[in-house]
Amino acid sequence: MPTSIEDLPEEMLLKIFSHLELDDRKTAGTVCRRWSTLALRCTDLQLEVDFRGPDGEDVYHRVLLASSRPYKHLVFYFGYDYAKCELLLHILARFASTVDTLKLLPNNFVPVEIEFLAKIVALCPNLKRLHVDACTFQNQSDVEVKIPPMNHLSDLYLENNLLDLREFDFRDVTPNITGLHLQIGYYSQRPQQFLQHIGPRLKELEVWFLTEDHFPSVCGMNFPLLEKVNFYCVDSSFDDCHTIEQLARFFQQCSKLKEATLRCNVNELVLGSMSQLCANLQSLCLSIEELSEECFLYLSELRSLKRLRIEDARIHAPDPNFCRPFKKLVMLTLYSVQIDDPSKFNRFACISFPVLATLELLHVCCGMNQATMFKFHSIICSSLLYLERLVLHESEKFLDLDLFFYFATLTKLRELRLKFRGLTDYICPYDTNLVFVRNLILDVVLINDACLLKLLELLPEVKRLQLSSVNGCSADGIRAARERLPLCDISVKRRVRIEERLS
């Protein structure tokens, strides 16, 4: 008897399903009972429950309470109607035996009784990740509320006053945290005390500094195991020598650091310290006013760097021979940047990023007109011959489809993600199409049926088209597109989400 896919063990089927998009998993789940169980059992699937709308309660009573899927990741949205919290507990109890990730996302500054959090923790004794956002916790009863120990909790996200409450000490109920995300504000010292207590065992740290005064003290704490750090500090500057010294000391103790996000206006001296002390750094996100030639020189000394994101910067690209090539850099993201000399940057990128596979250009054309933006995109994209994934976001501008003809040299390109205000349907009479592109994600406000069909003429081998638009194509246009490419999976993005991939 020949071997079929039904002979594969569950572990192998789960591995296969984990590579599929959510809609494809749901389709696979209709094949048979076995596939229905396995296709949606993957650990990166999360259930989103939204109580903020008028119709949500009946839907969740009818659908979720009857569900047999063992969800591990739950997200609850709720507003000011505190009565909905009881329904939330009812639904949570339905999945409590399997849940290990829980996110509570209310409207901003919703008052929440601390007893409500205690009930949630009691329902989920195996909780590993807890995300509590924008709650104002309070205790209006005379009874002392105790939070049960969360011995399995490894990741904690707090954006509220929970650590400021004196009714209990969070250090006593979270003995095994290795990942912490929190705010440090103006008044209380308790978040800093909590951070200092658990710092020696943290592997991941994310801090929003509501005032930069606390920044040096946090940098002076002990984090010997830290692998990932995110610092957010609004309107900070590093002109103070003491602050720079503290930050250098912080990097000196973080020999295991692999990922860093510094949205705190770093400068050349900080990058110089990182280049000497962070030999294992693989991913870096920087918010910086001026990205000078010296900055590129320091960045090129990070020999393990694979992913680089630059935000809110004016970029002065160096000559290609000024610094070493970024031999391991596979992903580059430019967000809200201004490039002083696009042609020079293009020459630099072509030589200095020899293995770049993903390029994301997100609002990089600040101060440029439409023609200059078009020229910049076309030149830089056509120069990166190893590019596999290209993301272009210019939500206030129109995309001229002539730009696609400049992609013809990118024979390794497999995915395009485009977000523009609209598409212009004029196409030059070139005999060119991008037979190598397989995935197209198109997010536009203005697009018509004729423009969509002309776009598909350029992409005859595309296998997946995800379309999201406000004033978009008609049903007849979508139907014509599917007839034009019968082997292409064409979908219109849903506006209402219940299940999505874990973020």
Side-chain angles (χ1 to χ4, degrees):
M1 181 178 297
T3 302
S4 70
I5 195 170
E6 284 301 309
D7 297 313
L8 295 179
E10 285 192 0
E11 293 78 8
M12 190 171 293
L13 284 174
L14 285 171
K15 185 67 174 178
I16 294 172
F17 291 141
S18 69
H19 292 283
L20 299 180
E21 297 292 335
L22 177 59
D23 289 339
D24 293 331
R25 291 188 198 176
K26 291 183 176 180
T27 301
T30 63
V31 172
C32 61
R33 184 181 297 275
R34 185 187 184 211
W35 282 31
S36 178
T37 302
L38 296 177
L40 293 171
R41 203 175 76 180
C42 301
T43 58
D44 62 346
L45 187 70
Q46 74 179 16
L47 171 66
E48 295 188 353
V49 183
D50 194 340
F51 291 120
R52 295 171 298 184
D55 304 323
E57 187 170 342
D58 292 339
V59 173
Y60 294 122
H61 266 304
R62 184 174 67 254
V63 178
L64 294 182
L65 295 181
S67 175
S68 60
R69 292 177 184 165
Y71 290 104
K72 290 188 174 183
H73 312 290
L74 304 185
V75 181
F76 290 107
Y77 298 92
F78 58 96
Y80 291 90
D81 185 359
Y82 201 78
K84 297 287 182 66
C85 292
E86 292 302 319
L87 177 58
L88 188 152
L89 290 172
H90 192 34
I91 293 175
L92 181 60
R94 174 68 184 79
F95 304 103
S97 62
T98 58
V99 66
D100 63 24
T101 300
L102 178 62
K103 294 183 180 180
L104 302 177
L105 305 176
N107 292 333
N108 283 337
F109 306 112
V110 170
V112 177
E113 294 294 328
I114 193 67
E115 185 180 4
F116 173 64
L117 179 62
K119 290 180 180 179
I120 287 177
V121 173
L123 280 172
C124 306
N126 298 318
L127 202 60
K128 296 179 181 177
R129 287 169 287 274
L130 177 61
H131 180 125
V132 186
D133 195 358
C135 296
T136 302
F137 285 99
Q138 59 188 10
N139 183 14
Q140 295 183 341
S141 68
D142 296 331
V143 180
E144 182 182 0
V145 178
K146 291 187 177 181
I147 304 271
M150 292 179 277
N151 295 322
H152 297 279
L153 195 71
S154 60
D155 192 88
L156 179 63
Y157 179 109
L158 296 176
E159 191 175 341
N160 48 47
N161 66 328
L162 193 57
L163 292 177
D164 295 328
L165 299 180
R166 298 189 176 277
E167 285 83 354
F168 60 92
D169 192 335
F170 229 63
R171 292 175 293 186
D172 297 333
V173 297
T174 55
N176 297 307
I177 289 180
T178 58
L180 180 64
H181 317 255
L182 81 163
Q183 289 182 343
I184 293 183
Y186 298 92
Y187 306 112
S188 175
Q189 296 293 322
R190 291 171 66 85
Q192 286 181 267
Q193 295 169 1
F194 180 68
L195 177 57
Q196 188 165 13
H197 175 75
I198 67 172
R201 65 171 182 264
L202 284 182
K203 294 183 178 180
E204 181 175 340
L205 174 63
E206 186 172 45
V207 182
W208 293 267
F209 296 93
L210 302 185
T211 170
E212 63 181 277
D213 296 340
H214 296 299
F215 193 91
S217 62
V218 170
C219 289
M221 294 181 186
N222 187 28
F223 305 104
L225 303 180
L226 206 60
E227 298 178 359
K228 179 179 179 180
V229 62
N230 295 348
F231 283 158
Y232 303 84
C233 188
V234 180
D235 297 328
S236 65
S237 65
F238 287 92
D239 297 331
D240 181 85
C241 294
H242 178 66
T243 303
I244 295 174
E245 181 182 346
Q246 289 284 1
L247 196 56
R249 192 173 301 169
F250 169 81
F251 288 128
Q252 190 170 15
Q253 63 167 314
C254 298
S255 60
K256 299 180 182 295
L257 196 65
K258 296 180 180 179
E259 183 174 343
T261 297
L262 302 175
R263 290 190 174 99
C264 45
N265 192 22
V266 300
N267 62 12
E268 295 176 359
L269 295 176
V270 175
L271 293 182
S273 296
M274 294 182 68
S275 66
Q276 298 177 22
L277 302 172
C278 302
N280 297 316
L281 196 66
Q282 299 178 9
S283 180
L284 177 60
C285 172
L286 293 176
S287 177
I288 184 170
E289 289 184 358
E290 300 282 337
L291 194 67
S292 64
E293 293 185 344
E294 287 74 17
C295 290
F296 277 106
L297 178 63
Y298 292 136
L299 290 173
S300 69
E301 296 297 325
L302 297 169
R303 309 310 299 162
S304 299
L305 193 64
K306 296 180 180 179
R307 295 172 296 277
L308 176 62
R309 178 183 174 103
I310 305 297
E311 299 180 351
D312 305 314
R314 182 167 183 173
I315 297 178
H316 309 279
D319 291 325
N321 296 326
F322 183 75
C323 56
R324 299 179 182 179
F326 295 70
K327 293 185 177 181
K328 292 187 178 181
L329 193 73
V330 295
M331 182 174 181
L332 174 64
T333 302
L334 302 180
Y335 175 78
S336 189
V337 304
Q338 173 134 7
I339 298 177
D340 61 343
D341 188 339
S343 297
K344 186 177 181 180
F345 181 83
N346 294 334
R347 293 193 299 270
F348 170 74
C350 182
I351 296 175
S352 299
F353 307 137
V355 296
L356 195 68
T358 297
L359 175 64
E360 297 181 340
L361 303 177
L362 316 176
H363 311 292
V364 302
C365 300
C366 301
M368 297 182 181
N369 58 34
Q370 183 81 13
T372 308
M373 180 202 73
F374 177 82
K375 179 181 179 182
F376 170 69
H377 282 158
S378 61
I379 294 176
I380 187 173
C381 295
S382 61
S383 303
L384 301 170
L385 302 183
Y386 288 90
L387 210 59
E388 299 176 5
R389 181 174 177 266
L390 176 61
V391 181
L392 303 178
H393 283 195
E394 298 291 342
S395 55
E396 298 302 319
K397 296 183 174 67
F398 282 80
L399 173 65
D400 192 331
L401 290 184
D402 285 355
L403 181 63
F404 282 81
F405 294 107
Y406 292 92
F407 299 160
T409 57
L410 305 179
T411 57
K412 294 184 180 296
L413 189 64
R414 296 296 181 266
E415 179 174 308
L416 276 170
R417 288 179 175 260
L418 307 173
K419 184 174 183 179
F420 286 80
R421 179 167 177 78
L423 302 184
T424 58
D425 59 5
Y426 173 73
I427 302 180
C428 294
Y430 302 147
D431 184 18
T432 304
N433 54 43
L434 310 182
V435 296
F436 35 80
V437 174
R438 295 293 182 266
N439 298 322
L440 175 63
I441 294 88
L442 189 62
D443 187 348
V444 296
V445 177
L446 301 171
I447 182 174
N448 56 44
D449 297 346
C451 187
L452 177 62
L453 294 177
K454 287 185 179 180
L455 174 60
L456 294 182
E457 288 179 4
L458 294 171
L459 307 168
E461 298 297 325
V462 67
K463 300 303 180 185
R464 180 188 298 276
L465 168 61
Q466 181 177 301
L467 181 65
S468 176
S469 62
V470 179
N471 300 314
C473 302
S474 66
D476 290 338
I478 299 297
R479 191 178 302 110
R482 287 174 174 150
E483 291 174 357
R484 174 73 60 85
L485 296 177
L487 298 181
C488 179
D489 178 13
I490 300 177
S491 62
V492 179
K493 189 175 180 181
R494 300 186 309 275
R495 294 182 179 274
V496 180
R497 299 179 301 168
I498 291 182
E499 297 170 315
E500 289 294 344
R501 273 185 174 273
L502 180 65
S503 58

